[in-house]
Amino acid sequence: MADLTHPDEAMRLVLDGIRPLPAQSRPLESAAGFYLSDDVDAACDLPAFDNSAMDGYALREVDGKAASKNSPVSLSITQTISAGTVPTALVVGSAAKIMTGAPLPAGADTILPREVAREYEGHVELLEAPSSGDHVRYKGDDMRAGDKLLPAGRRLRSFEIGLLAGQGFGEVRVHGRPRIAVLSSGDELVPYTELPTLGRIRNSSGPALAAMITAWGCTPVSCGIAADREDAIKAAIERALEHADVLLFCGGVSVGDFDYTRSALNTLGFEERFWRTAIRPGKPLLFGLLNKKPVFGLPGNPISTLVTAEVFVRPAVEKMSGSRGTQEPFSVMGTLEASFKKPRSLRHYLFCSAKTGADGKTLLRVLEPQGSALLGMGARANALVIGPEGVSDLEAGMELRFKWL
Ligand code: AMP
Ligand code: MG
């Protein structure tokens, strides 16, 4: 199968054809999942002032040095400091009662937690000797003004959003996220809300793909179903590209008599980068650019559609969204429970049921039969496992890379 592009080369060709979308400003509260377009520097120190990490007592180490459970040291409590208030300096030889997050009074160098103290009549008994710096959160410990807070290309998770909020950023500069057109094609297809007559089937790949796109945090643009005619597909492509940054075809990319996707694209000036890659399912995958926009022809069988979207479209979408180098998704290892035969020349994506035992090892059971139209199999699987190319017999006990589904 010399005419099949190696999957690694196919991935390289896809990523080569992708440029990040322009940057935009977004309010912080709607920026989760977006990728920073610029480095962000810290505007202020965090924490902004020395403060207590515990509810307890602020004091000087020297004043509590002699304390132990059997011979506690007693100090008078000279102030109570709640979070959000400004304390006075610590009276030498005394303790200040302090709450979590409250500023450390000048002169105090340690906090003794409430759990190792006993309070009575305006005094506190220290049941342990504190050490200088215990339970104190010092100004600038986490971040210093002017340090690099976050790098360009970073995806904004809840941690980053919290960090930016803590620094007072109301808006951030991020790349846009692509609108992704989904166009199904096939004379046999009816919308899934309709009853198919004999020989026809419901469009399941289109909605499945739209759901995957939504799960990525992007917006799917559903373009319905085009008939298996070159002119119908051409018109649908032109309409779809008006409203989207990426076009995903579902079906019509194989070698059947009525597979017109490729020829319709070619009449419009499509720059094809590859057609057909050495994987199963999803071998007929097509990729190229039309009017500089990425176009994927995904095979129409729903399992093939979803595998090719997950493996090839997702990294492309992440790069378009401003990601710089994505994490390898098939990074977990599992042990194959029983042997399985696969075609030697293909990288085989296997739908498996995975179970992690008490020893932390994950056992992988290949669901049988595997099939590119079997959505029931897909719904029963919780792991997508790579059966590597160059191997035909996957033996029981083999360690394979997989991704949780
Ligand atoms: P194609 O990729 O057009 O050669 O179609 C391959 C197989 O997938 C055929 O059995 C089609 O009926 C089926 N198929 C194509 N598109 C869809 C779709 N949107 N939903 C469900 N099945 C589809
Ligand atoms: Mg078809």
PDB file of all heavy atoms in Angstrom, residues 195-225:
ATOM      1  N   LEU A 195     -37.717   9.368   9.653  1.00  0.00           N
ATOM      2  CA  LEU A 195     -37.762   7.914   9.535  1.00  0.00           C
ATOM      3  C   LEU A 195     -37.200   7.532   8.167  1.00  0.00           C
ATOM      4  O   LEU A 195     -37.747   7.945   7.141  1.00  0.00           O
ATOM      5  CB  LEU A 195     -39.222   7.462   9.659  1.00  0.00           C
ATOM      6  CG  LEU A 195     -39.464   5.969   9.823  1.00  0.00           C
ATOM      7  CD1 LEU A 195     -38.870   5.445  11.121  1.00  0.00           C
ATOM      8  CD2 LEU A 195     -40.964   5.681   9.765  1.00  0.00           C
ATOM      9  N   PRO A 196     -36.105   6.754   8.129  1.00  0.00           N
ATOM     10  CA  PRO A 196     -35.556   6.401   6.811  1.00  0.00           C
ATOM     11  C   PRO A 196     -36.403   5.332   6.123  1.00  0.00           C
ATOM     12  O   PRO A 196     -36.876   4.403   6.772  1.00  0.00           O
ATOM     13  CB  PRO A 196     -34.164   5.856   7.138  1.00  0.00           C
ATOM     14  CG  PRO A 196     -34.149   5.571   8.601  1.00  0.00           C
ATOM     15  CD  PRO A 196     -35.330   6.206   9.245  1.00  0.00           C
ATOM     16  N   THR A 197     -36.602   5.491   4.833  1.00  0.00           N
ATOM     17  CA  THR A 197     -37.253   4.429   4.053  1.00  0.00           C
ATOM     18  C   THR A 197     -36.215   3.339   3.797  1.00  0.00           C
ATOM     19  O   THR A 197     -35.025   3.544   4.064  1.00  0.00           O
ATOM     20  CB  THR A 197     -37.776   4.996   2.717  1.00  0.00           C
ATOM     21  OG1 THR A 197     -36.699   5.689   2.094  1.00  0.00           O
ATOM     22  CG2 THR A 197     -38.952   5.932   2.939  1.00  0.00           C
ATOM     23  N   LEU A 198     -36.668   2.205   3.261  1.00  0.00           N
ATOM     24  CA  LEU A 198     -35.763   1.065   3.077  1.00  0.00           C
ATOM     25  C   LEU A 198     -34.524   1.466   2.272  1.00  0.00           C
ATOM     26  O   LEU A 198     -34.631   2.115   1.229  1.00  0.00           O
ATOM     27  CB  LEU A 198     -36.494  -0.085   2.364  1.00  0.00           C
ATOM     28  CG  LEU A 198     -35.663  -1.375   2.236  1.00  0.00           C
ATOM     29  CD1 LEU A 198     -35.344  -1.970   3.599  1.00  0.00           C
ATOM     30  CD2 LEU A 198     -36.376  -2.393   1.359  1.00  0.00           C
ATOM     31  N   GLY A 199     -33.364   1.101   2.770  1.00  0.00           N
ATOM     32  CA  GLY A 199     -32.111   1.379   2.064  1.00  0.00           C
ATOM     33  C   GLY A 199     -31.471   2.685   2.480  1.00  0.00           C
ATOM     34  O   GLY A 199     -30.314   2.940   2.161  1.00  0.00           O
ATOM     35  N   ARG A 200     -32.223   3.507   3.188  1.00  0.00           N
ATOM     36  CA  ARG A 200     -31.640   4.787   3.611  1.00  0.00           C
ATOM     37  C   ARG A 200     -31.288   4.704   5.097  1.00  0.00           C
ATOM     38  O   ARG A 200     -31.762   3.826   5.810  1.00  0.00           O
ATOM     39  CB  ARG A 200     -32.612   5.931   3.320  1.00  0.00           C
ATOM     40  CG  ARG A 200     -33.004   5.947   1.836  1.00  0.00           C
ATOM     41  CD  ARG A 200     -33.777   7.167   1.480  1.00  0.00           C
ATOM     42  NE  ARG A 200     -32.885   8.319   1.333  1.00  0.00           N
ATOM     43  CZ  ARG A 200     -33.324   9.576   1.204  1.00  0.00           C
ATOM     44  NH1 ARG A 200     -34.607   9.837   1.229  1.00  0.00           N
ATOM     45  NH2 ARG A 200     -32.477  10.560   1.053  1.00  0.00           N
ATOM     46  N   ILE A 201     -30.429   5.604   5.561  1.00  0.00           N
ATOM     47  CA  ILE A 201     -30.027   5.590   6.981  1.00  0.00           C
ATOM     48  C   ILE A 201     -30.059   7.010   7.539  1.00  0.00           C
ATOM     49  O   ILE A 201     -30.040   7.979   6.777  1.00  0.00           O
ATOM     50  CB  ILE A 201     -28.603   5.007   7.187  1.00  0.00           C
ATOM     51  CG1 ILE A 201     -27.562   5.821   6.404  1.00  0.00           C
ATOM     52  CG2 ILE A 201     -28.543   3.538   6.812  1.00  0.00           C
ATOM     53  CD1 ILE A 201     -26.129   5.482   6.775  1.00  0.00           C
ATOM     54  N   ARG A 202     -30.091   7.087   8.846  1.00  0.00           N
ATOM     55  CA  ARG A 202     -30.064   8.408   9.485  1.00  0.00           C
ATOM     56  C   ARG A 202     -28.644   8.950   9.496  1.00  0.00           C
ATOM     57  O   ARG A 202     -27.681   8.190   9.594  1.00  0.00           O
ATOM     58  CB  ARG A 202     -30.591   8.317  10.917  1.00  0.00           C
ATOM     59  CG  ARG A 202     -32.054   7.952  10.999  1.00  0.00           C
ATOM     60  CD  ARG A 202     -32.548   8.110  12.430  1.00  0.00           C
ATOM     61  NE  ARG A 202     -33.986   7.901  12.506  1.00  0.00           N
ATOM     62  CZ  ARG A 202     -34.552   6.741  12.851  1.00  0.00           C
ATOM     63  NH1 ARG A 202     -33.793   5.701  13.177  1.00  0.00           N
ATOM     64  NH2 ARG A 202     -35.862   6.629  12.884  1.00  0.00           N
ATOM     65  N   ASN A 203     -28.525  10.254   9.413  1.00  0.00           N
ATOM     66  CA  ASN A 203     -27.222  10.910   9.544  1.00  0.00           C
ATOM     67  C   ASN A 203     -26.802  10.843  11.008  1.00  0.00           C
ATOM     68  O   ASN A 203     -27.342  11.563  11.848  1.00  0.00           O
ATOM     69  CB  ASN A 203     -27.341  12.365   9.073  1.00  0.00           C
ATOM     70  CG  ASN A 203     -26.058  13.155   9.289  1.00  0.00           C
ATOM     71  OD1 ASN A 203     -25.007  12.582   9.577  1.00  0.00           O
ATOM     72  ND2 ASN A 203     -26.149  14.470   9.148  1.00  0.00           N
ATOM     73  N   SER A 204     -25.866   9.969  11.324  1.00  0.00           N
ATOM     74  CA  SER A 204     -25.384   9.904  12.720  1.00  0.00           C
ATOM     75  C   SER A 204     -23.980  10.509  12.830  1.00  0.00           C
ATOM     76  O   SER A 204     -23.615  11.068  13.868  1.00  0.00           O
ATOM     77  CB  SER A 204     -25.367   8.459  13.223  1.00  0.00           C
ATOM     78  OG  SER A 204     -24.612   7.634  12.356  1.00  0.00           O
ATOM     79  N   SER A 205     -23.183  10.431  11.771  1.00  0.00           N
ATOM     80  CA  SER A 205     -21.805  10.939  11.852  1.00  0.00           C
ATOM     81  C   SER A 205     -21.787  12.456  12.030  1.00  0.00           C
ATOM     82  O   SER A 205     -20.945  12.981  12.775  1.00  0.00           O
ATOM     83  CB  SER A 205     -21.036  10.572  10.585  1.00  0.00           C
ATOM     84  OG  SER A 205     -21.044   9.187  10.394  1.00  0.00           O
ATOM     85  N   GLY A 206     -22.690  13.156  11.338  1.00  0.00           N
ATOM     86  CA  GLY A 206     -22.721  14.623  11.426  1.00  0.00           C
ATOM     87  C   GLY A 206     -22.953  15.087  12.859  1.00  0.00           C
ATOM     88  O   GLY A 206     -22.135  15.834  13.421  1.00  0.00           O
ATOM     89  N   PRO A 207     -24.045  14.641  13.497  1.00  0.00           N
ATOM     90  CA  PRO A 207     -24.270  15.038  14.891  1.00  0.00           C
ATOM     91  C   PRO A 207     -23.161  14.588  15.832  1.00  0.00           C
ATOM     92  O   PRO A 207     -22.803  15.298  16.778  1.00  0.00           O
ATOM     93  CB  PRO A 207     -25.596  14.357  15.251  1.00  0.00           C
ATOM     94  CG  PRO A 207     -26.266  14.090  13.952  1.00  0.00           C
ATOM     95  CD  PRO A 207     -25.192  13.921  12.918  1.00  0.00           C
ATOM     96  N   ALA A 208     -22.590  13.400  15.577  1.00  0.00           N
ATOM     97  CA  ALA A 208     -21.507  12.914  16.446  1.00  0.00           C
ATOM     98  C   ALA A 208     -20.297  13.842  16.349  1.00  0.00           C
ATOM     99  O   ALA A 208     -19.677  14.205  17.361  1.00  0.00           O
ATOM    100  CB  ALA A 208     -21.111  11.494  16.042  1.00  0.00           C
ATOM    101  N   LEU A 209     -19.999  14.252  15.146  1.00  0.00           N
ATOM    102  CA  LEU A 209     -18.859  15.143  14.927  1.00  0.00           C
ATOM    103  C   LEU A 209     -19.116  16.517  15.561  1.00  0.00           C
ATOM    104  O   LEU A 209     -18.224  17.091  16.201  1.00  0.00           O
ATOM    105  CB  LEU A 209     -18.655  15.279  13.414  1.00  0.00           C
ATOM    106  CG  LEU A 209     -17.385  15.909  12.907  1.00  0.00           C
ATOM    107  CD1 LEU A 209     -16.165  15.234  13.520  1.00  0.00           C
ATOM    108  CD2 LEU A 209     -17.339  15.797  11.376  1.00  0.00           C
ATOM    109  N   ALA A 210     -20.335  17.006  15.406  1.00  0.00           N
ATOM    110  CA  ALA A 210     -20.678  18.299  16.013  1.00  0.00           C
ATOM    111  C   ALA A 210     -20.511  18.222  17.532  1.00  0.00           C
ATOM    112  O   ALA A 210     -20.013  19.165  18.169  1.00  0.00           O
ATOM    113  CB  ALA A 210     -22.107  18.696  15.640  1.00  0.00           C
ATOM    114  N   ALA A 211     -20.886  17.079  18.110  1.00  0.00           N
ATOM    115  CA  ALA A 211     -20.752  16.907  19.566  1.00  0.00           C
ATOM    116  C   ALA A 211     -19.280  16.914  19.965  1.00  0.00           C
ATOM    117  O   ALA A 211     -18.902  17.490  20.993  1.00  0.00           O
ATOM    118  CB  ALA A 211     -21.405  15.597  19.997  1.00  0.00           C
ATOM    119  N   MET A 212     -18.441  16.287  19.157  1.00  0.00           N
ATOM    120  CA  MET A 212     -17.010  16.252  19.461  1.00  0.00           C
ATOM    121  C   MET A 212     -16.431  17.670  19.406  1.00  0.00           C
ATOM    122  O   MET A 212     -15.643  18.068  20.274  1.00  0.00           O
ATOM    123  CB  MET A 212     -16.298  15.330  18.477  1.00  0.00           C
ATOM    124  CG  MET A 212     -14.852  15.085  18.804  1.00  0.00           C
ATOM    125  SD  MET A 212     -14.093  13.867  17.706  1.00  0.00           S
ATOM    126  CE  MET A 212     -14.078  12.420  18.736  1.00  0.00           C
ATOM    127  N   ILE A 213     -16.844  18.419  18.418  1.00  0.00           N
ATOM    128  CA  ILE A 213     -16.352  19.797  18.261  1.00  0.00           C
ATOM    129  C   ILE A 213     -16.759  20.645  19.473  1.00  0.00           C
ATOM    130  O   ILE A 213     -15.959  21.413  20.011  1.00  0.00           O
ATOM    131  CB  ILE A 213     -16.916  20.391  16.951  1.00  0.00           C
ATOM    132  CG1 ILE A 213     -16.285  19.683  15.746  1.00  0.00           C
ATOM    133  CG2 ILE A 213     -16.706  21.896  16.883  1.00  0.00           C
ATOM    134  CD1 ILE A 213     -17.013  19.925  14.429  1.00  0.00           C
ATOM    135  N   THR A 214     -17.999  20.462  19.903  1.00  0.00           N
ATOM    136  CA  THR A 214     -18.468  21.200  21.082  1.00  0.00           C
ATOM    137  C   THR A 214     -17.633  20.815  22.305  1.00  0.00           C
ATOM    138  O   THR A 214     -17.249  21.675  23.102  1.00  0.00           O
ATOM    139  CB  THR A 214     -19.966  20.903  21.343  1.00  0.00           C
ATOM    140  OG1 THR A 214     -20.687  21.218  20.157  1.00  0.00           O
ATOM    141  CG2 THR A 214     -20.515  21.727  22.493  1.00  0.00           C
ATOM    142  N   ALA A 215     -17.329  19.530  22.435  1.00  0.00           N
ATOM    143  CA  ALA A 215     -16.516  19.074  23.579  1.00  0.00           C
ATOM    144  C   ALA A 215     -15.110  19.673  23.523  1.00  0.00           C
ATOM    145  O   ALA A 215     -14.473  19.849  24.561  1.00  0.00           O
ATOM    146  CB  ALA A 215     -16.442  17.544  23.607  1.00  0.00           C
ATOM    147  N   TRP A 216     -14.612  20.009  22.360  1.00  0.00           N
ATOM    148  CA  TRP A 216     -13.303  20.667  22.249  1.00  0.00           C
ATOM    149  C   TRP A 216     -13.370  22.138  22.639  1.00  0.00           C
ATOM    150  O   TRP A 216     -12.342  22.812  22.702  1.00  0.00           O
ATOM    151  CB  TRP A 216     -12.786  20.621  20.806  1.00  0.00           C
ATOM    152  CG  TRP A 216     -12.470  19.281  20.269  1.00  0.00           C
ATOM    153  CD1 TRP A 216     -12.217  18.142  20.976  1.00  0.00           C
ATOM    154  CD2 TRP A 216     -12.371  18.921  18.875  1.00  0.00           C
ATOM    155  NE1 TRP A 216     -11.966  17.098  20.105  1.00  0.00           N
ATOM    156  CE2 TRP A 216     -12.047  17.556  18.823  1.00  0.00           C
ATOM    157  CE3 TRP A 216     -12.521  19.625  17.674  1.00  0.00           C
ATOM    158  CZ2 TRP A 216     -11.877  16.865  17.614  1.00  0.00           C
ATOM    159  CZ3 TRP A 216     -12.343  18.947  16.486  1.00  0.00           C
ATOM    160  CH2 TRP A 216     -12.027  17.579  16.456  1.00  0.00           C
ATOM    161  N   GLY A 217     -14.588  22.651  22.828  1.00  0.00           N
ATOM    162  CA  GLY A 217     -14.739  24.075  23.154  1.00  0.00           C
ATOM    163  C   GLY A 217     -14.868  24.944  21.919  1.00  0.00           C
ATOM    164  O   GLY A 217     -14.747  26.166  22.005  1.00  0.00           O
ATOM    165  N   CYS A 218     -15.113  24.342  20.766  1.00  0.00           N
ATOM    166  CA  CYS A 218     -15.296  25.117  19.529  1.00  0.00           C
ATOM    167  C   CYS A 218     -16.770  25.113  19.133  1.00  0.00           C
ATOM    168  O   CYS A 218     -17.579  24.415  19.725  1.00  0.00           O
ATOM    169  CB  CYS A 218     -14.466  24.523  18.401  1.00  0.00           C
ATOM    170  SG  CYS A 218     -12.708  24.651  18.713  1.00  0.00           S
ATOM    171  N   THR A 219     -17.066  25.916  18.118  1.00  0.00           N
ATOM    172  CA  THR A 219     -18.453  26.026  17.680  1.00  0.00           C
ATOM    173  C   THR A 219     -18.648  25.258  16.379  1.00  0.00           C
ATOM    174  O   THR A 219     -18.032  25.592  15.370  1.00  0.00           O
ATOM    175  CB  THR A 219     -18.794  27.514  17.427  1.00  0.00           C
ATOM    176  OG1 THR A 219     -18.331  28.243  18.551  1.00  0.00           O
ATOM    177  CG2 THR A 219     -20.265  27.729  17.225  1.00  0.00           C
ATOM    178  N   PRO A 220     -19.519  24.231  16.389  1.00  0.00           N
ATOM    179  CA  PRO A 220     -19.813  23.557  15.126  1.00  0.00           C
ATOM    180  C   PRO A 220     -20.850  24.353  14.332  1.00  0.00           C
ATOM    181  O   PRO A 220     -21.749  24.954  14.918  1.00  0.00           O
ATOM    182  CB  PRO A 220     -20.402  22.216  15.578  1.00  0.00           C
ATOM    183  CG  PRO A 220     -20.951  22.449  16.936  1.00  0.00           C
ATOM    184  CD  PRO A 220     -20.227  23.626  17.538  1.00  0.00           C
ATOM    185  N   VAL A 221     -20.676  24.375  13.021  1.00  0.00           N
ATOM    186  CA  VAL A 221     -21.677  24.995  12.148  1.00  0.00           C
ATOM    187  C   VAL A 221     -22.232  23.858  11.302  1.00  0.00           C
ATOM    188  O   VAL A 221     -21.544  23.350  10.417  1.00  0.00           O
ATOM    189  CB  VAL A 221     -21.023  26.070  11.237  1.00  0.00           C
ATOM    190  CG1 VAL A 221     -22.067  26.730  10.358  1.00  0.00           C
ATOM    191  CG2 VAL A 221     -20.257  27.094  12.065  1.00  0.00           C
ATOM    192  N   SER A 222     -23.435  23.431  11.626  1.00  0.00           N
ATOM    193  CA  SER A 222     -24.000  22.278  10.919  1.00  0.00           C
ATOM    194  C   SER A 222     -24.508  22.715   9.560  1.00  0.00           C
ATOM    195  O   SER A 222     -25.339  23.618   9.464  1.00  0.00           O
ATOM    196  CB  SER A 222     -25.128  21.659  11.740  1.00  0.00           C
ATOM    197  OG  SER A 222     -24.547  20.981  12.828  1.00  0.00           O
ATOM    198  N   CYS A 223     -24.004  22.074   8.512  1.00  0.00           N
ATOM    199  CA  CYS A 223     -24.364  22.467   7.143  1.00  0.00           C
ATOM    200  C   CYS A 223     -25.251  21.429   6.470  1.00  0.00           C
ATOM    201  O   CYS A 223     -25.398  21.444   5.246  1.00  0.00           O
ATOM    202  CB  CYS A 223     -23.104  22.703   6.328  1.00  0.00           C
ATOM    203  SG  CYS A 223     -22.120  24.047   6.977  1.00  0.00           S
ATOM    204  N   GLY A 224     -25.820  20.533   7.257  1.00  0.00           N
ATOM    205  CA  GLY A 224     -26.797  19.593   6.713  1.00  0.00           C
ATOM    206  C   GLY A 224     -26.175  18.518   5.841  1.00  0.00           C
ATOM    207  O   GLY A 224     -25.016  18.148   6.006  1.00  0.00           O
ATOM    208  N   ILE A 225     -26.988  18.061   4.887  1.00  0.00           N
ATOM    209  CA  ILE A 225     -26.606  16.912   4.053  1.00  0.00           C
ATOM    210  C   ILE A 225     -26.611  17.339   2.586  1.00  0.00           C
ATOM    211  O   ILE A 225     -27.597  17.898   2.112  1.00  0.00           O
ATOM    212  CB  ILE A 225     -27.631  15.767   4.238  1.00  0.00           C
ATOM    213  CG1 ILE A 225     -27.698  15.341   5.720  1.00  0.00           C
ATOM    214  CG2 ILE A 225     -27.295  14.576   3.343  1.00  0.00           C
ATOM    215  CD1 ILE A 225     -28.893  14.468   6.059  1.00  0.00           C
TER     216      ILE A 225
END
